[in-house]
mmCIF file of all heavy atoms in Angstrom:
data_model
loop_
_atom_site.group_PDB
_atom_site.id
_atom_site.type_symbol
_atom_site.label_atom_id
_atom_site.label_comp_id
_atom_site.label_asym_id
_atom_site.label_seq_id
_atom_site.Cartn_x
_atom_site.Cartn_y
_atom_site.Cartn_z
ATOM 1 N N THR A 90 13.244 236.815 89.396
ATOM 2 C CA THR A 90 13.570 237.874 90.361
ATOM 3 C C THR A 90 14.537 238.922 89.796
ATOM 4 O O THR A 90 14.763 239.957 90.424
ATOM 5 C CB THR A 90 14.188 237.295 91.651
ATOM 6 O OG1 THR A 90 15.194 236.372 91.279
ATOM 7 C CG2 THR A 90 13.159 236.627 92.521
ATOM 8 N N TYR A 91 15.107 238.647 88.614
ATOM 9 C CA TYR A 91 16.077 239.577 88.028
ATOM 10 C C TYR A 91 15.501 240.360 86.844
ATOM 11 O O TYR A 91 16.210 241.117 86.182
ATOM 12 C CB TYR A 91 17.337 238.817 87.590
ATOM 13 C CG TYR A 91 18.111 238.294 88.760
ATOM 14 C CD1 TYR A 91 17.840 237.034 89.282
ATOM 15 C CD2 TYR A 91 19.088 239.070 89.383
ATOM 16 C CE1 TYR A 91 18.521 236.561 90.384
ATOM 17 C CE2 TYR A 91 19.777 238.606 90.480
ATOM 18 C CZ TYR A 91 19.491 237.346 90.978
ATOM 19 O OH TYR A 91 20.171 236.880 92.070
ATOM 20 N N ARG A 92 14.218 240.165 86.561
ATOM 21 C CA ARG A 92 13.622 240.849 85.409
ATOM 22 C C ARG A 92 13.435 242.349 85.674
ATOM 23 O O ARG A 92 13.385 242.767 86.827
ATOM 24 C CB ARG A 92 12.269 240.206 85.051
ATOM 25 C CG ARG A 92 12.482 238.852 84.414
ATOM 26 C CD ARG A 92 11.197 238.133 84.064
ATOM 27 N NE ARG A 92 11.517 236.707 83.941
ATOM 28 C CZ ARG A 92 10.666 235.713 84.085
ATOM 29 N NH1 ARG A 92 9.394 235.965 84.330
ATOM 30 N NH2 ARG A 92 11.069 234.459 83.980
ATOM 31 N N GLY A 93 13.324 243.097 84.604
ATOM 32 C CA GLY A 93 13.064 244.539 84.737
ATOM 33 C C GLY A 93 14.279 245.339 85.167
ATOM 34 O O GLY A 93 14.166 246.481 85.590
ATOM 35 N N GLN A 94 15.481 244.746 85.040
ATOM 36 C CA GLN A 94 16.714 245.464 85.419
ATOM 37 C C GLN A 94 17.621 245.687 84.216
ATOM 38 O O GLN A 94 18.792 245.998 84.370
ATOM 39 C CB GLN A 94 17.486 244.665 86.480
ATOM 40 C CG GLN A 94 16.712 244.408 87.749
ATOM 41 C CD GLN A 94 17.472 243.474 88.708
ATOM 42 O OE1 GLN A 94 18.701 243.420 88.697
ATOM 43 N NE2 GLN A 94 16.747 242.744 89.528
ATOM 44 N N GLY A 95 17.079 245.462 83.021
ATOM 45 C CA GLY A 95 17.868 245.698 81.807
ATOM 46 C C GLY A 95 18.696 244.494 81.358
ATOM 47 O O GLY A 95 19.458 244.598 80.386
ATOM 48 N N ILE A 96 18.566 243.370 82.030
ATOM 49 C CA ILE A 96 19.428 242.217 81.706
ATOM 50 C C ILE A 96 19.005 241.575 80.372
ATOM 51 O O ILE A 96 19.850 241.224 79.536
ATOM 52 C CB ILE A 96 19.419 241.179 82.853
ATOM 53 C CG1 ILE A 96 19.951 241.833 84.129
ATOM 54 C CG2 ILE A 96 20.244 239.950 82.480
ATOM 55 C CD1 ILE A 96 19.835 240.977 85.387
ATOM 56 N N GLY A 97 17.689 241.452 80.149
ATOM 57 C CA GLY A 97 17.215 240.884 78.887
ATOM 58 C C GLY A 97 17.680 241.721 77.706
ATOM 59 O O GLY A 97 18.132 241.193 76.687
ATOM 60 N N LYS A 98 17.594 243.017 77.850
ATOM 61 C CA LYS A 98 18.028 243.937 76.794
ATOM 62 C C LYS A 98 19.534 243.779 76.537
ATOM 63 O O LYS A 98 19.976 243.720 75.395
ATOM 64 C CB LYS A 98 17.697 245.370 77.230
ATOM 65 C CG LYS A 98 18.020 246.433 76.237
ATOM 66 C CD LYS A 98 17.522 247.766 76.777
ATOM 67 C CE LYS A 98 17.964 248.927 75.936
ATOM 68 N NZ LYS A 98 17.378 250.184 76.430
ATOM 69 N N GLN A 99 20.318 243.686 77.610
ATOM 70 C CA GLN A 99 21.768 243.524 77.441
ATOM 71 C C GLN A 99 22.093 242.209 76.731
ATOM 72 O O GLN A 99 22.972 242.157 75.863
ATOM 73 C CB GLN A 99 22.452 243.527 78.808
ATOM 74 C CG GLN A 99 22.550 244.883 79.460
ATOM 75 C CD GLN A 99 23.285 244.780 80.795
ATOM 76 O OE1 GLN A 99 24.447 244.404 80.853
ATOM 77 N NE2 GLN A 99 22.598 245.090 81.875
ATOM 78 N N LEU A 100 21.383 241.135 77.117
ATOM 79 C CA LEU A 100 21.619 239.826 76.482
ATOM 80 C C LEU A 100 21.300 239.903 74.987
ATOM 81 O O LEU A 100 22.072 239.419 74.154
ATOM 82 C CB LEU A 100 20.728 238.760 77.123
ATOM 83 C CG LEU A 100 21.292 237.996 78.319
ATOM 84 C CD1 LEU A 100 20.190 237.214 79.010
ATOM 85 C CD2 LEU A 100 22.428 237.062 77.901
ATOM 86 N N LEU A 101 20.164 240.520 74.676
ATOM 87 C CA LEU A 101 19.742 240.633 73.281
ATOM 88 C C LEU A 101 20.754 241.464 72.485
ATOM 89 O O LEU A 101 21.143 241.090 71.372
ATOM 90 C CB LEU A 101 18.355 241.291 73.242
ATOM 91 C CG LEU A 101 17.487 241.051 72.031
ATOM 92 C CD1 LEU A 101 17.319 239.570 71.740
ATOM 93 C CD2 LEU A 101 16.102 241.676 72.252
ATOM 94 N N GLN A 102 21.206 242.563 73.042
ATOM 95 C CA GLN A 102 22.162 243.421 72.334
ATOM 96 C C GLN A 102 23.497 242.705 72.141
ATOM 97 O O GLN A 102 24.155 242.837 71.112
ATOM 98 C CB GLN A 102 22.354 244.735 73.089
ATOM 99 C CG GLN A 102 21.130 245.626 72.978
ATOM 100 C CD GLN A 102 21.266 246.943 73.745
ATOM 101 O OE1 GLN A 102 22.181 247.097 74.557
ATOM 102 N NE2 GLN A 102 20.354 247.868 73.504
#
Side-chain angles (χ1 to χ4, degrees):
T90 47
Y91 292 89
R92 287 178 201 156
Q94 301 174 28
I96 299 173
K98 183 175 172 176
Q99 285 182 62
L100 270 168
L101 203 53
Q102 288 179 347

